[in-house]
PDB file of all heavy atoms in Angstrom:
ATOM      1  N   GLY E  85      73.880  18.559  69.365  1.00 68.00           N
ATOM      2  CA  GLY E  85      75.266  18.691  69.608  1.00 68.00           C
ATOM      3  C   GLY E  85      75.956  19.565  68.541  1.00 68.00           C
ATOM      4  O   GLY E  85      77.162  19.516  68.260  1.00 68.00           O
ATOM      5  N   GLY E  86      75.148  20.406  67.901  1.00 73.00           N
ATOM      6  CA  GLY E  86      75.804  21.343  66.941  1.00 73.00           C
ATOM      7  C   GLY E  86      76.690  22.235  67.541  1.00 73.00           C
ATOM      8  O   GLY E  86      76.836  22.385  68.716  1.00 73.00           O
ATOM      9  N   ALA E  87      77.423  23.031  66.692  1.00 75.00           N
ATOM     10  CA  ALA E  87      78.472  23.922  67.130  1.00 75.00           C
ATOM     11  C   ALA E  87      77.950  24.818  68.172  1.00 75.00           C
ATOM     12  O   ALA E  87      76.925  25.498  68.021  1.00 75.00           O
ATOM     13  CB  ALA E  87      79.055  24.707  65.951  1.00 75.00           C
ATOM     14  N   GLY E  88      78.666  24.892  69.294  1.00 80.00           N
ATOM     15  CA  GLY E  88      78.268  25.853  70.410  1.00 80.00           C
ATOM     16  C   GLY E  88      77.174  25.305  71.271  1.00 80.00           C
ATOM     17  O   GLY E  88      76.844  25.905  72.239  1.00 80.00           O
ATOM     18  N   HIS E  89      76.555  24.159  70.864  1.00 84.00           N
ATOM     19  CA  HIS E  89      75.430  23.673  71.688  1.00 84.00           C
ATOM     20  C   HIS E  89      75.744  22.202  72.141  1.00 84.00           C
ATOM     21  O   HIS E  89      74.786  21.462  72.352  1.00 84.00           O
ATOM     22  CB  HIS E  89      74.234  23.659  70.853  1.00 84.00           C
ATOM     23  CG  HIS E  89      73.700  25.090  70.724  1.00 84.00           C
ATOM     24  ND1 HIS E  89      73.809  25.752  69.525  1.00 84.00           N
ATOM     25  CD2 HIS E  89      72.998  25.892  71.566  1.00 84.00           C
ATOM     26  CE1 HIS E  89      73.270  26.972  69.735  1.00 84.00           C
ATOM     27  NE2 HIS E  89      72.712  27.040  70.843  1.00 84.00           N
ATOM     28  N   GLU E  90      76.973  21.935  72.310  1.00 82.00           N
ATOM     29  CA  GLU E  90      77.260  20.596  72.933  1.00 82.00           C
ATOM     30  C   GLU E  90      76.950  20.592  74.374  1.00 82.00           C
ATOM     31  O   GLU E  90      76.912  21.728  75.017  1.00 82.00           O
ATOM     32  CB  GLU E  90      78.712  20.228  72.657  1.00 82.00           C
ATOM     33  CG  GLU E  90      78.981  20.001  71.197  1.00 82.00           C
ATOM     34  CD  GLU E  90      80.424  19.573  70.996  1.00 82.00           C
ATOM     35  OE1 GLU E  90      80.807  18.467  71.415  1.00 82.00           O
ATOM     36  OE2 GLU E  90      81.123  20.288  70.226  1.00 82.00           O
ATOM     37  N   ILE E  91      76.722  19.418  74.899  1.00 82.00           N
ATOM     38  CA  ILE E  91      76.417  19.309  76.332  1.00 82.00           C
ATOM     39  C   ILE E  91      77.519  18.583  76.992  1.00 82.00           C
ATOM     40  O   ILE E  91      77.956  17.575  76.632  1.00 82.00           O
ATOM     41  CB  ILE E  91      75.115  18.556  76.529  1.00 82.00           C
ATOM     42  CG1 ILE E  91      73.982  19.398  75.894  1.00 82.00           C
ATOM     43  CG2 ILE E  91      74.808  18.258  77.952  1.00 82.00           C
ATOM     44  CD1 ILE E  91      73.603  20.625  76.577  1.00 82.00           C
ATOM     45  N   TYR E  92      78.075  19.230  78.012  1.00 81.00           N
ATOM     46  CA  TYR E  92      79.309  18.583  78.749  1.00 81.00           C
ATOM     47  C   TYR E  92      78.811  17.454  79.604  1.00 81.00           C
ATOM     48  O   TYR E  92      79.386  16.359  79.559  1.00 81.00           O
ATOM     49  CB  TYR E  92      80.046  19.682  79.554  1.00 81.00           C
ATOM     50  CG  TYR E  92      81.311  19.076  80.076  1.00 81.00           C
ATOM     51  CD1 TYR E  92      82.407  18.880  79.254  1.00 81.00           C
ATOM     52  CD2 TYR E  92      81.324  18.537  81.435  1.00 81.00           C
ATOM     53  CE1 TYR E  92      83.540  18.228  79.841  1.00 81.00           C
ATOM     54  CE2 TYR E  92      82.379  17.931  81.858  1.00 81.00           C
ATOM     55  CZ  TYR E  92      83.582  17.803  81.099  1.00 81.00           C
ATOM     56  OH  TYR E  92      84.664  17.200  81.563  1.00 81.00           O
ATOM     57  N   VAL E  93      77.876  17.712  80.487  1.00 75.00           N
ATOM     58  CA  VAL E  93      77.424  16.707  81.430  1.00 75.00           C
ATOM     59  C   VAL E  93      76.305  15.995  80.747  1.00 75.00           C
ATOM     60  O   VAL E  93      75.130  16.319  80.906  1.00 75.00           O
ATOM     61  CB  VAL E  93      76.952  17.338  82.713  1.00 75.00           C
ATOM     62  CG1 VAL E  93      76.656  16.299  83.725  1.00 75.00           C
ATOM     63  CG2 VAL E  93      78.102  18.286  83.248  1.00 75.00           C
ATOM     64  N   GLY E  94      76.675  14.950  79.958  1.00 74.00           N
ATOM     65  CA  GLY E  94      75.621  14.272  79.159  1.00 74.00           C
ATOM     66  C   GLY E  94      75.289  12.854  79.681  1.00 74.00           C
ATOM     67  O   GLY E  94      75.912  12.320  80.502  1.00 74.00           O
ATOM     68  N   GLU E  95      74.115  12.401  79.143  1.00 67.00           N
ATOM     69  CA  GLU E  95      73.780  11.020  79.360  1.00 67.00           C
ATOM     70  C   GLU E  95      74.230  10.277  78.247  1.00 67.00           C
ATOM     71  O   GLU E  95      74.242  10.738  77.086  1.00 67.00           O
ATOM     72  CB  GLU E  95      72.258  10.946  79.457  1.00 67.00           C
ATOM     73  CG  GLU E  95      71.769  11.372  80.871  1.00 67.00           C
ATOM     74  CD  GLU E  95      70.297  11.119  81.065  1.00 67.00           C
ATOM     75  OE1 GLU E  95      69.670  10.772  80.094  1.00 67.00           O
ATOM     76  OE2 GLU E  95      69.795  11.317  82.194  1.00 67.00           O
ATOM     77  N   ARG E  96      74.700   9.078  78.444  1.00 57.00           N
ATOM     78  CA  ARG E  96      75.403   8.312  77.358  1.00 57.00           C
ATOM     79  C   ARG E  96      74.582   8.147  76.131  1.00 57.00           C
ATOM     80  O   ARG E  96      75.074   8.063  75.067  1.00 57.00           O
ATOM     81  CB  ARG E  96      75.918   7.049  77.839  1.00 57.00           C
ATOM     82  CG  ARG E  96      77.376   6.891  77.500  1.00 57.00           C
ATOM     83  CD  ARG E  96      78.055   5.619  78.012  1.00 57.00           C
ATOM     84  NE  ARG E  96      77.329   5.241  79.217  1.00 57.00           N
ATOM     85  CZ  ARG E  96      77.608   4.161  79.860  1.00 57.00           C
ATOM     86  NH1 ARG E  96      78.560   3.352  79.378  1.00 57.00           N
ATOM     87  NH2 ARG E  96      76.983   3.752  80.912  1.00 57.00           N
TER      88      ARG E  96
END
Side-chain angles (χ1 to χ4, degrees):
Chain E
H89 287 101
E90 292 185 61
I91 295 294
Y92 185 80
V93 186
E95 283 184 352
R96 227 176 333 176

